[in-house]
Amino acid sequence: ARPDRRELLPSIGVPSIVIVGAVDTLTPPEKARELAAGLAEAQLHVLENIAHMSAMEAPAEIADLLGML
């Protein structure tokens, strides 16, 4: 298992986007919500009908979201 580094999240002071697929079983939306909650400037986006490979499953949506930064 990877070391838990969640205590460092508040020190990240740049705009961030957390993207997760609504049907992702490897990194479920609940974990993405925890991640976004720990970041000072995070936006959470849950993509409907998308699993773990969001960049491959919805490349146009991902590009649009990243363009928001």
Side-chain angles (χ1 to χ4, degrees):
R2 295 180 189 171
D4 185 352
R5 300 283 191 232
R6 285 179 287 185
E7 74 278 359
L8 298 175
L9 292 175
S11 69
I12 299 172
V14 296
S16 304
I17 296 179
V18 178
I19 303 169
V20 65
V23 294
D24 188 341
T25 57
L26 294 175
T27 309
E30 298 78 39
K31 293 294 183 186
R33 284 184 190 90
E34 289 177 20
L35 176 63
L39 293 164
E41 297 184 49
Q43 297 176 30
L44 173 65
H45 295 274
V46 180
L47 305 180
E48 295 301 318
N49 301 314
I50 301 297
H52 190 69
M53 302 290 288
S54 58
M56 294 176 67
E57 295 175 62
E61 284 184 75
I62 299 296
D64 288 345
L65 290 172
L66 294 177
M68 294 171 45
L69 287 176

